[in-house]
Amino acid sequence: MSQNRTIYLDHAATTPVDGRVLDKMLPYLKDIYGNPSSSHRSGQRASRALSWARNTVAEALGANPSEVVFTSCGTESDNLALRGVVFSRWARGKHIITSHIEHHAVENTCLQLAERFGYEITFLPVDRYGRVAPEQVREAIRPDTALISIMYANNEIGTVQPIADIGLIAREHDIPFHTDAVQAPGQLPLDVGALHVDLMSLSGHKFYAPKGVGVLYVREGLDLLPVQTGGKQEHGLRAGTQNVPYIVALAEGLSLAVDEREEEADRVRGLRDRLIDELVNSIDGCHLTGHPRRRLPNNASFVFEGVDGEAVQMHLSMAGIATSTGSACASGEDEPSHVLRALDMDPRLAQGSLRLSLGRATTEDDIERTIAKLSPIVEKLRDMSLF
Ligand SMILES: *Cc1c(COP(=O)(O)O)cnc(C)c1O
């Protein structure tokens, strides 16, 4: 294997398009270009593809096709879930429960609802592993609570939340429950019945379909005010001509992710555990962030004492290894990410954060080479005491 091949360990940021997904979508970019709302033959072919995609996604989620809404990305799904629910029941209350470690798509939507629309937001704290306690959700519920939104698994530290328990509490109180499950496909079970969720966001490019297409699962009977108005597409919940090729790709990608999940998650977890054991044991001052067991099988996230995560990430990048950091300049901010800050860790320690997220193409050799490269980089940076 070429020594120059990039080792891509940033699958939590995005994944490459799987060849099988590309093959499935190409005819809809080339020949089958009709508008699925048109009644002529070309439109009807597109419409059949759209139905196939909707049925396929529904099956992957244990849902009905009428509960599947295609969107343009995970961020849009989160926005539609939050705004759609709270605006449809604004007369019943203006309180939202969420957590301190949500993706910006949820966090900043909540902040805007608070600042511009008078909503009150309870941001639940997390423990040092990044877990939300279901009992705290119960205690935060008020008569005017309109929505609970807690992510399934965190994109930075990989911690998996007790979604099914939170969902049961929400249901007891008859409050709609949304989960941002964008990191879950291919990693965790997705059955919306078992998870007790009313709304669930997914994004194609996190499971080997293209960027720019997403899904929102919306439980039958739940009222949702459309955020984007226009035509009657997507059961009237999301106007705009559907992006048929990308929707077909998303459905194929999701179905592969679900079918191959158990085997692939086991394989990746094995590699991931080797990476964690080796780094924590061989590098002084290297700590795992997130939950030791209840975490995404492909996520390894760390903090290193006395180094800047940004510098580690840059040196790895120069060595042909793509990773990411939740600290400092990555986001153009001077501070560690809001997720690391929520973990109650020394902010100086949080500056040394690094996330490695594995995927389908990750090999044992990738992991061994990453282990071999990382330790000298951390040592060198400490010697230079750039921090
Ligand atoms: C990537 C991601 C999103 C955003 O999805 P986009 O399709 O990139 O808009 C939302 N939530 C989580 C947890 C993510 O990892």
Side-chain angles (χ1 to χ4, degrees):
M1 187 176 296
S2 154
Q3 288 296 303
N4 295 324
R5 187 177 74 91
T6 296
I7 297 176
Y8 185 77
L9 294 177
D10 202 14
H11 292 83
T14 195
T15 57
V17 175
D18 188 296
R20 297 168 291 182
V21 169
L22 186 64
D23 288 346
K24 188 89 185 177
M25 75 183 277
L26 274 179
Y28 298 93
L29 283 169
K30 290 166 80 179
D31 305 320
I32 311 167
Y33 52 79
N35 186 322
S37 299
S38 300
S39 49
H40 49 62
R41 187 181 297 185
S42 171
Q44 289 315 294
R45 287 183 76 188
S47 169
R48 276 198 298 279
L50 192 58
S51 297
W52 171 83
R54 202 179 303 285
N55 290 332
T56 302
V57 169
E59 195 174 321
L61 305 182
N64 298 319
S66 61
E67 299 174 310
V68 173
V69 177
F70 291 113
T71 67
S72 72
C73 61
T75 299
E76 189 195 325
S77 297
D78 285 341
N79 271 265
L80 177 56
L82 269 63
R83 289 177 212 280
V85 167
V86 302
F87 288 161
S88 82
R89 36 170 62 209
W90 62 273
R92 290 178 54 181
K94 295 183 125 187
H95 177 236
I96 299 170
I97 299 172
T98 185
S99 84
H100 262 309
I101 59 158
E102 297 298 312
H103 189 273
H104 282 141
V106 168
E107 190 194 28
N108 287 335
T109 303
C110 284
L111 289 175
Q112 196 203 56
L113 287 168
E115 285 161 16
R116 305 297 290 267
F117 296 91
Y119 281 80
E120 272 186 75
I121 320 287
T122 299
F123 287 99
L124 292 174
V126 294
D127 67 15
R128 66 196 177 101
Y129 301 122
R131 289 263 289 186
V132 173
E135 277 318 302
Q136 286 193 306
V137 175
R138 188 194 299 281
E139 284 159 21
I141 290 173
R142 312 192 320 206
D144 61 343
T145 304
L147 175 71
I148 300 171
S149 180
I150 305 284
M151 73 196 316
Y152 193 0
N154 185 266
N155 45 303
E156 286 187 38
I157 58 174
T159 299
V160 177
Q161 302 297 344
I163 288 307
D165 296 342
I166 296 170
L168 278 178
I169 293 170
R171 191 150 302 165
E172 271 173 39
H173 292 82
D174 201 21
I175 299 166
F177 176 44
H178 166 249
T179 192
D180 175 337
V182 172
Q183 289 288 330
Q187 317 278 338
L188 304 170
L190 289 179
D191 188 285
V192 292
L195 291 172
H196 305 300
V197 297
D198 300 310
L199 303 123
M200 182 162 86
S201 302
L202 300 175
S203 170
H205 74 102
K206 304 291 173 81
F207 49 85
Y208 304 88
K211 295 154 193 64
V213 61
V215 169
L216 180 65
Y217 159 78
V218 183
R219 186 173 294 283
E220 197 78 66
L222 184 71
D223 254 356
L224 206 65
L225 191 74
V227 168
Q228 182 161 298
T229 47
K232 290 193 167 47
Q233 293 94 348
E234 300 304 301
H235 329 297
L237 293 177
R238 200 277 184 181
T241 302
Q242 289 96 343
N243 186 346
V244 176
Y246 278 46
I247 288 171
V248 166
L250 178 144
E252 181 70 4
L254 187 62
S255 140
L256 291 170
V258 167
D259 288 351
E260 297 172 359
R261 176 178 69 86
E262 287 184 35
E263 199 176 332
E264 179 61 7
D266 281 350
R267 185 188 78 85
V268 163
R269 187 185 294 107
L271 295 175
R272 190 276 314 267
D273 286 345
R274 158 113 185 103
L275 184 64
I276 292 176
D277 287 348
E278 197 59 38
L279 294 183
V280 169
N281 290 324
S282 71
I283 303 179
D284 272 350
C286 168
H287 310 279
L288 185 71
T289 53
H291 199 281
R293 293 180 318 283
R294 291 173 182 137
R295 64 188 300 130
L296 290 166
N298 75 333
N299 174 294
S301 58
F302 306 94
V303 285
F304 298 93
E305 291 172 23
V307 288
D308 182 5
E310 188 70 14
V312 178
Q313 183 256 310
M314 275 172 53
H315 278 75
L316 281 171
S317 174
M318 288 187 282
I321 303 173
T323 62
S324 109
T325 174
S327 55
C329 329
S331 47
E333 294 162 17
D334 272 349
E335 282 191 78
S337 74
H338 68 290
V339 175
L340 294 171
R341 276 182 283 145
L343 296 183
D344 188 28
M345 82 170 55
D346 180 343
R348 291 220 326 273
L349 189 54
Q351 289 292 346
S353 79
L354 188 74
R355 176 188 71 191
L356 303 97
S357 45
L358 290 60
R360 261 178 214 162
T362 308
T363 63
E364 225 173 294
D365 184 58
D366 290 350
I367 296 304
E368 296 310 324
R369 280 167 58 195
T370 302
I371 291 167
K373 282 271 182 343
L374 193 47
S375 168
I377 287 174
V378 171
E379 268 168 44
K380 184 170 132 199
L381 287 169
R382 280 179 183 154
D383 285 348
M384 292 160 67
S385 55
L386 280 174
F387 193 68

